[in-house]
Amino acid sequence: MQTLRRGMALHIHEVCILLLLIPGLVTPAAFNHEDYPADDGDQISNNDNNLIFDDYRGKGCVDDSGFVYKLGERFFPGHSNCPCVCTEDGPVCDQPECPKIHPKCTKVEHNGCCPECKEVKNFCEYHGKSYKILEEFKPSPCEWCRCEPSNEVHCVVADCAVPECVNPVYEPEQCCPVCKNGPNCFAGTTIIPAGIEVKVDECNICHCHNGDWWKPAQCSKRECQGKPAA
């Protein structure tokens, strides 16, 4: 009976030693890779041991920063893009008709789907100078201008009346010529003042036309002093 017990104890001891040795005898090649499939994100390349990133085609969308969006989720691909919806075929983005930028806009921002004008030109430029809106100025003695709200300069040129003399002069900073000696006209080659009769020689007395200063003077012959009348 004691001999039987010793034999059973020895057999159990050998079985335990064999069980301890079995894990060391099994190599990694003994396991089939297909028996333990790895997750997509945990796959490792057999060539260079680099991670293989997930393929989101048909599963989601990725923006410019690398963020992943689920199917049906609305997102912005970038700061200057229009909003998009993630679909199985990729992002489907809005394409609205953006308002036109004012031609006088001096500052445009592109932070959204459509560009926005943040600052409009509020002055006029004329001959290299700047003028405020509604500011009036004279670029020349005969020209009056104003800076309109449209940022355009509108000018009016003075229409000078016909001078009442045959020898007008132009004064500095004045638009129209002036008759410094009053109205006059020509009697031959002689300038005579208007409003009176002037004896231009021994036989002729002349006067200017009323209002028609550019016409020659009207003259009449009188008895010539010291000479018989013709």
Side-chain angles (χ1 to χ4, degrees):
M1 189 67 176
Q2 293 180 355
T3 302
L4 180 61
R5 290 180 179 176
R6 291 195 186 107
M8 291 179 63
L10 179 61
H11 180 71
I12 293 173
H13 179 70
E14 292 175 351
V15 171
C16 290
I17 294 175
L18 181 62
L19 291 176
L20 291 174
L21 293 176
I22 287 176
L25 297 176
V26 179
T27 63
F31 292 94
N32 190 347
H33 182 69
E34 296 180 355
D35 295 338
Y36 298 92
D39 293 339
D40 291 340
D42 296 331
Q43 293 180 5
I44 300 177
S45 173
N46 294 326
N47 297 327
D48 53 7
N49 292 331
N50 289 332
L51 291 177
I52 300 177
F53 293 98
D54 289 350
D55 184 1
Y56 291 101
R57 288 176 294 183
K59 304 176 183 178
C61 302
V62 183
D63 66 4
D64 295 345
S65 302
F67 290 99
V68 180
Y69 297 87
K70 299 178 181 179
L71 295 178
E73 193 170 359
R74 191 177 180 86
F75 69 102
F76 289 85
H79 294 293
S80 61
N81 297 97
C82 296
C84 303
V85 175
C86 182
T87 69
E88 293 184 355
D89 298 326
V92 177
C93 304
D94 295 340
Q95 296 295 332
E97 293 185 4
C98 297
K100 294 182 179 180
I101 298 296
H102 196 282
K104 301 296 182 179
C105 184
T106 57
K107 183 179 180 182
V108 180
E109 290 187 358
H110 299 272
N111 294 329
C113 183
C114 293
E116 295 184 40
C117 179
K118 295 298 183 181
E119 186 175 337
V120 178
K121 182 180 177 181
N122 58 353
F123 60 92
C124 300
E125 293 180 336
Y126 189 78
H127 292 176
K129 294 183 178 181
S130 299
Y131 300 92
K132 297 179 181 180
I133 299 296
L134 301 181
E135 181 179 358
E136 297 182 354
F137 57 96
K138 289 182 63 175
S140 67
C142 289
E143 193 176 15
W144 283 266
C145 301
R146 186 175 75 166
C147 176
E148 301 294 340
S150 61
N151 302 112
E152 297 179 352
V153 175
H154 289 175
C155 299
V156 176
V157 178
D159 186 10
C160 295
V162 177
E164 297 179 345
C165 60
V166 295
N167 57 348
V169 295
Y170 287 87
E171 295 288 351
E173 301 302 324
Q174 289 189 0
C175 174
C176 298
V178 296
C179 297
K180 298 187 70 174
N181 298 320
N184 56 37
C185 67
F186 277 114
T189 57
T190 303
I191 298 176
I192 63 174
I196 60 174
E197 290 184 345
V198 178
K199 186 176 182 180
V200 296
D201 56 32
E202 294 181 351
C203 300
N204 293 296
I205 297 176
C206 303
H207 65 90
C208 296
H209 292 273
N210 291 329
D212 297 332
W213 316 112
W214 63 92
K215 292 182 179 180
Q218 291 179 323
C219 299
S220 61
K221 288 188 176 182
R222 301 287 178 92
E223 292 183 0
C224 299
Q225 296 180 356
K227 292 183 180 181

